[in-house]
């Protein structure tokens, strides 16, 4: 997707963040119109970035709250329209600017808002009004925050702007805002924008104070599971208050608050499958991750009770995973040469290793044998 840049305002921010009392200043270097941009050194550097920003994928419910790319939505009270949101109004003024002078004035307002945010860092702050040359004639607003490479950046003056831009600005850590959000080519969501901040400092989330973001998937899943637990408790106790109920509720609270949780053995297989299905119906891409002993497993939550099963046998926990084929990555291992035995044969050895380890006759050395690693294979 190519863009025609209509207006671009270039600012330089000086001063480090982290200390609210630290001096932070900015300088406006140049505002360009379409002809100025076409002849500028910024064109070769930025033209490819616009397409990358638009095509960068973002999840409404990211896998982690620290996801670098997020979709934000303007906050409005029930019954009120978009123009009740200050952040939206700021962006909309920039999108509807009549000329480069007006665009510069609105961009100046934007950078002043940014300077009030915490963790502001030095670098280039670029505001761009661009129109796709296909799919739609509606302008897109890009806000870019670029760091300068130390000892390389060379800012000259308002006429020349920057010498050797491709060396001076690091695109690798470029932070960006795109408004409106474009979920598909030509489809614009005016209530939404997309931010990208590949940094632990949440520059734009702090900057855009009237924009909300959907909860990360783990947090969303936690809330929904706790809602199900509450429903289960209400159904089980039917409003009856007792010390036993309070104790059970406390156990669930302690379990949910713990970072390293163990199997609770509280619900039946059917109850767990039904609860998992409710979650998957809302979010099909949910995953389940667990550790059994020293082995870690991660897979789709939708497969629990279908191709992923939990069981006990000979006093041991067992995780059964079924499928049509195995696939191995990384280094070649002897496991890949196995002809799998029947499941019933494997079950015969489940728990035996534990019995041997617990046996008082078991010492640190091996009893007998010639040291051949294949001598004591269970099958």
């Amino acid at each position: 997707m190519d863009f025609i840049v209509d207006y671009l305002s270039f600012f330089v921010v000086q001063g480090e963040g982290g200390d609210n009392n630290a001096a932070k200043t900015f300088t406006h270097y140049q505002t360009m119109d379409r002809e100025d941009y076409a002849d500028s050194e910024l064109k070769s550097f930025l033209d490819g970035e616009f397409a990358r920003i638009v095509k960068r994928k973002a999840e409404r419910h990211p896998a982690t709250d620290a996801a670098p790319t997020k979709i934000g939505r303007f906050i409005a009270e029930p019954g009120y329209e978009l123009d009740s949101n200050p952040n939206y109004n700021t962006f909309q003024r920039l999108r509807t600017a009549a000329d480069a002078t007006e665009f510069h004035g609105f961009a100046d307002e934007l950078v002043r808002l940014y300077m009030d945010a915490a963790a502001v860092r030095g670098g280039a702050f670029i505001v761009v009004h661009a129109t796709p040359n296909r799919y739609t004639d509606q302008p897109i607003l890009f806000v870019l925050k670029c760091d300068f490479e130390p000892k390389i950046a060379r800012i000259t003056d308002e006429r020349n702007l920057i010498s050797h831009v491709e060396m001076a600005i690091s695109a690798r850590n470029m932070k960006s805002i795109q408004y409106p959000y474009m979920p598909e080519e030509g489809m614009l969501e005016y209530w939404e924008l997309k931010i990208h901040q590949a940094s632990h400092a949440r520059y734009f989330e702090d900057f855009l104070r009237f924009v909300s973001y959907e909860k990360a998937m783990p947090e969303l899943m936690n809330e929904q599971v706790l809602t199900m637990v509450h429903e289960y408790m209400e159904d089980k106790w039917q409003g009856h208050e007792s010390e036993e109920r309070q104790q059970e509720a406390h156990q669930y609270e302690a379990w949910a608050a713990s970072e390293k949780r163990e199997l609770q053995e509280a619900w039946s297989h059917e109850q767990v499958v039904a609860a998992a299905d409710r979650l998957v119906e809302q979010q099909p891409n949910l995953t389940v991750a667990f550790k059994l002993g020293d082995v870690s497993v991660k897979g789709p939550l939708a497969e629990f009770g279908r191709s992923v099963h939990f069981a006990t046998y000979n006093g041991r926990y067992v995780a059964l995973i079924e499928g049509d084929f195995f696939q191995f990555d990384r280094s070649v291992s002897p496991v890949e040469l196995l002809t799998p035995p029947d499941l019933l044969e494997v079950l015969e050895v489940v728990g035996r290793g534990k019995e041997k380890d617990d046996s008082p006759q078991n010492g640190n050395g091996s009893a007998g044998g010639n040291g051949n690693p294949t001598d004591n294979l269970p099958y």
Side-chain angles (χ1 to χ4, degrees):
M1 179 180 291
D2 297 327
F3 287 85
I4 299 171
V5 172
D6 305 302
Y7 309 115
L8 181 149
S9 280
F10 188 101
F11 301 86
V12 172
V13 176
Q14 294 98 6
E16 292 297 319
D19 181 0
N20 291 332
N21 298 319
K24 305 181 186 74
T25 60
F26 72 92
T27 303
H28 169 249
Y29 268 75
Q30 191 172 349
T31 293
M32 306 175 180
D33 58 18
R34 187 178 299 185
E35 293 181 0
D36 294 331
Y37 178 78
D39 295 332
S40 76
E41 295 172 326
L42 285 172
K43 179 177 172 59
S44 60
F45 174 71
L46 290 181
D47 273 359
E49 292 300 319
F50 301 136
R52 275 190 282 274
I53 291 170
V54 171
K55 292 179 180 179
R56 184 177 286 130
K57 298 297 183 182
E59 299 291 339
R60 294 193 182 278
H61 298 285
T64 170
D65 190 52
T69 309
K70 297 182 180 180
I71 300 169
R73 185 174 180 85
F74 292 113
I75 300 171
E77 294 292 331
Y80 288 83
E81 298 298 326
L82 262 174
D83 56 10
S84 66
N85 185 290
N87 292 151
Y88 164 79
N89 290 331
T90 300
F91 286 151
Q92 193 63 8
R93 284 195 294 269
L94 283 159
R95 290 184 69 242
T96 58
D99 52 41
T101 300
E102 190 173 64
F103 184 82
H104 168 216
F106 295 145
D108 189 273
E109 292 179 12
L110 187 69
V111 73
R112 290 180 188 276
L113 290 174
Y114 173 75
M115 297 295 289
D116 289 336
V120 170
R121 296 291 188 269
F125 189 91
I126 306 171
V127 188
V128 184
H129 179 292
T131 305
N133 60 9
R134 295 175 61 189
Y135 305 112
T136 178
D137 59 357
Q138 292 298 308
I140 304 291
L141 186 69
F142 296 99
V143 180
L144 312 176
K145 172 61 173 53
C146 312
D147 296 329
F148 287 126
E149 294 289 355
K151 301 180 181 179
I152 295 178
R154 190 154 62 92
I155 302 174
T156 55
D157 54 39
E158 290 82 351
R159 292 188 302 277
N160 296 324
L161 197 61
I162 295 178
S163 296
H164 306 298
V165 170
E166 69 277 9
M167 295 178 65
I169 298 178
S170 171
R172 178 169 48 89
N173 295 319
M174 181 184 292
K175 302 159 189 69
S176 65
I177 302 172
Q178 172 202 331
Y179 176 72
Y181 172 51
M182 186 184 293
E184 298 180 15
E185 291 180 336
M187 179 186 297
L188 299 178
E189 294 288 349
Y190 292 99
W191 278 86
E192 297 176 336
L193 51 78
K194 182 168 65 175
I195 67 170
H196 178 75
Q197 45 189 8
S199 168
H200 66 280
R202 299 181 177 182
Y203 294 92
F204 293 143
E205 289 182 65
D206 184 34
F207 165 42
L208 301 173
R209 298 176 183 177
F210 302 98
V211 173
S212 64
Y213 305 88
E214 295 285 359
K215 295 176 180 177
M217 192 64 72
E219 183 182 359
L220 182 67
M221 189 170 175
N222 287 351
E223 289 185 358
Q224 292 178 339
V225 171
L226 290 177
T227 297
M228 293 179 187
V229 169
H230 179 74
E231 293 172 357
Y232 164 79
M233 291 287 289
E234 289 297 322
D235 183 64
K236 177 179 178 179
W237 294 100
Q238 296 293 314
H240 178 66
E241 296 294 337
S242 67
E243 184 176 344
E244 188 178 356
R245 173 175 179 164
Q246 292 178 358
Q247 183 178 0
E248 184 177 1
H250 178 72
Q251 290 174 347
Y252 279 122
E253 290 173 3
W255 157 74
S258 175
E259 291 188 8
K260 294 184 178 180
R261 298 176 301 280
E262 297 182 353
L263 201 64
Q264 296 300 294
E265 301 192 30
W267 289 8
S268 69
H269 175 80
E270 290 74 19
Q271 285 174 304
V272 172
V273 170
D277 286 346
R278 280 180 57 183
L279 293 173
V280 171
E281 186 177 352
Q282 299 177 49
Q283 299 291 335
N285 296 325
L286 285 175
T287 61
V288 60
F290 60 92
K291 193 172 184 179
L292 183 57
D294 294 325
V295 179
S296 299
V297 179
K298 181 178 180 180
L301 180 61
E303 290 304 312
F304 183 81
R306 294 172 175 83
S307 64
V308 178
H309 314 270
F310 287 0
T312 59
Y313 192 82
N314 282 348
R316 302 280 281 170
Y317 286 125
V318 177
L320 300 174
I321 305 172
E322 60 175 288
D324 295 326
F325 61 91
F326 282 99
Q327 183 171 323
F328 298 88
D329 296 325
R330 302 181 183 274
S331 302
V332 173
S333 74
V335 176
E336 300 173 42
L337 303 175
L338 176 70
T339 300
D342 186 81
L343 176 61
L344 295 179
E345 295 180 44
V346 178
L347 290 177
E348 289 299 318
V349 302
V350 170
R352 289 185 181 176
K354 176 67 173 176
E355 293 174 1
K356 292 179 180 179
D357 291 341
D358 293 341
S359 172
Q361 298 178 356
N362 185 35
N364 292 330
S366 54
N370 58 10
N372 189 327
T374 64
D375 282 349
N376 296 312
L377 284 177
Y379 40 79

